[in-house]
Amino acid sequence: MNALRLLTVLLLSLIVATPSMAQDRRVPSSAAELRLSYAPIVQRVQPAVVNVFATKVVQNRNPLLDDPIFRRFFGIPGNQPEQMQRSLGSGVMVDPSGLVVTNVHVIEGADQVKVSLSDKREFEAEIVLKDPRSDLAVLRLKNTHEKFPTLDFDNSDELMVGDVVLAIGNPFGVGQTVTHGIISALARTQVGITDYQFFIQTDAPINPGNSGGALVDMNGKLAGINTAIFSRSGGSQGIGFAIPSNMVRVVVASAKSGGKAVKRPWLGARLQAVTPEIAETLGLKLPVGALVSSVVSGSPAAKAGLKVSDLIVGIDGQEIDDPNAFDYRFATRPIGGSAQIDVQRAGKALKLTIALETAPDSGRSEIVLTSRSPFQGARVANISPALADELHLDSDTEGVVVTDIAEDSTSANLGFQKGDIILAVNNQKIARTSDLEKATRESSRVWRITLMRSGQQINVTLSG
């Protein structure tokens, strides 16, 4: 009897559940519903997505070939043949005159850049602007007298997790390819790709060769530039990252205005993340916000009244979870206006208005050291507020910093790095680039060098 009653209850529950389950599914009611497709969007945007080919001439060198006795013994000529290194990526046409945006890492070090359109035509291109901080570069097609199809910028701040997107590019060099997926996450700040850690994450399949290509929304607008993937195999594993279109817009605007570098607003304060321990000390429920650790005298932050230990929690009505989020939001604000920052100070909420102006960059006196010395091939500069901001140095840092290292140069082979601050050479204090240039002109059997790297002082002794 009990078994019969139980069976009856189960049957009734199935009968009750069946109608609701059936309501979740239905047969297409018309032939039109069977033909739903992304094709109209693809046809509209595909002509604006291009392939980018970058080539670099390198000499296939073996260290043993530097020895003339070795070359003579084996009958090897002194001048070795050159090789062409090729890299492949994608790009997006953003101006009818022939402006293309792509990634810096696609064209880095290239001697020649070519752009191939979707109709198979090829054009040589010149590099108009490179912005390593965002990994974005702008190219211009050469010798063109026509208007090209372009993509309009979406407002990436309005994107939502779950929105459907298309990724268009040239993966593995197979040709222009379209994949689709959704936005998996927004404001990814722990990716470690560029200075501005604020990425759109998508599961739309992205592979090598897609870099610089378009991430497009369902309105056919540019949501972002595909830049990197998380992969253990080299192929897509459903985790791709794109630079938001609002950052792309800033870089493109600088290129259109004729600038060689992107001008961004300068805060003049150093920020740090809020750890759970700091949050507990401050009496916060959650470890969010950007904590002010130092303020540069006379900077926009100082003039606005920002103080050490202030907690920045918002900018122009947008919440700030960490310093990376603030850096991105602040960097995409236009120069010349102002931004309103929400601050918590000693438990009280404040609103501060900060002027959006560029950092002072006078007196950089950047030079390349060519004299025979450990610094041969290094580009160095006096530290200005703009350079300190660019290299993430403490605001009050002074002296001479390495801004670039030439490949295969003496300085590169000895391990000097971009961001090294040169303090002294052979017991001579280095305060200006002229001091370092003078020191490197003096021949020496032993070089004693003191430098600062990542906040640590390092003493190096090298033989001449």
Side-chain angles (χ1 to χ4, degrees), residues 321-341:
D321 288 335
D322 55 34
N324 287 325
F326 178 84
D327 288 346
Y328 168 81
R329 298 290 187 196
F330 195 67
T332 53
R333 295 301 187 268
I335 297 292
S338 63
Q340 190 173 72
I341 295 180

Side-chain angles (χ1 to χ4, degrees), residues 75-328:
I76 300 174
N79 295 324
Q80 295 302 301
E82 295 177 335
Q83 285 187 330
M84 299 289 288
Q85 284 185 351
R86 293 178 173 85
S87 63
L88 172 67
S90 305
V92 180
M93 197 77 69
V94 290
D95 188 83
S97 64
L99 281 185
V100 174
V101 65
T102 185
N103 287 132
V104 168
H105 73 258
V106 170
I107 51 89
E108 188 64 63
D111 297 309
Q112 184 183 51
V113 179
K114 288 188 176 182
V115 170
S116 174
L117 307 187
S118 59
D119 61 10
K120 308 302 181 183
R121 287 185 298 163
E122 285 192 358
F123 294 88
E124 286 193 11
E126 60 178 339
I127 300 172
V128 177
L129 182 151
K130 289 196 304 182
D131 184 45
R133 301 189 70 183
S134 65
D135 193 25
L136 291 171
V138 179
L139 315 175
R140 178 181 285 111
L141 304 190
K142 294 181 178 179
N143 303 319
T144 59
H145 304 283
E146 61 181 286
K147 290 187 176 182
F148 296 94
T150 64
L151 286 187
D152 293 329
F153 290 107
D154 193 1
N155 181 358
S156 53
D157 287 342
E158 296 179 354
L159 297 174
M160 298 181 68
V161 174
D163 283 349
V164 176
V165 287
L166 304 178
I168 308 177
N170 185 11
F172 298 111
V174 300
Q176 196 172 83
T177 301
V178 181
T179 57
H180 92 285
I182 63 170
I183 292 177
S184 307
L186 294 168
R188 284 297 193 213
T189 60
Q190 303 298 324
V191 181
I193 304 170
T194 67
D195 283 0
Y196 296 104
Q197 300 294 308
F198 200 87
F199 294 92
I200 301 168
Q201 182 182 327
T202 178
D203 68 346
I206 296 173
N207 290 287
N210 273 108
S211 289
L215 189 70
V216 179
D217 68 7
M218 290 297 97
N219 294 316
K221 292 186 177 182
L222 184 66
I225 294 294
N226 299 320
T227 297
I229 59 174
F230 176 85
S231 175
R232 300 185 186 278
S233 63
S236 174
Q237 292 185 323
I239 302 179
F241 301 101
I243 300 169
S245 58
N246 285 359
M247 176 61 78
V248 182
R249 192 197 306 264
V250 170
V251 175
V252 171
S254 293
K256 286 183 177 180
S257 67
K260 296 298 181 182
V262 179
K263 292 183 178 181
R264 296 185 173 94
W266 175 49
L267 177 65
R270 194 169 183 84
L271 308 178
Q272 70 179 80
V274 179
T275 64
E277 292 77 16
I278 293 176
E280 185 177 356
T281 302
L282 297 176
L284 302 175
K285 294 181 180 179
L286 297 173
V288 296
L291 190 64
V292 179
S293 58
S294 65
V295 178
V296 180
S297 176
S299 67
K303 293 176 182 177
L306 198 65
K307 297 181 179 180
V308 174
S309 298
D310 282 351
L311 182 67
I312 300 176
V313 294
I315 176 171
D316 290 337
Q318 295 173 312
E319 293 183 358
I320 297 299
D321 288 335
D322 55 34
N324 287 325
F326 178 84
D327 288 346
Y328 168 81

Side-chain angles (χ1 to χ4, degrees), residues 41-50 118 149 151 168 176-178:
I41 298 174
V42 173
Q43 290 174 357
R44 189 165 71 251
V45 305
Q46 203 168 29
V49 182
V50 302
S118 59
L151 286 187
I168 308 177
Q176 196 172 83
T177 301
V178 181

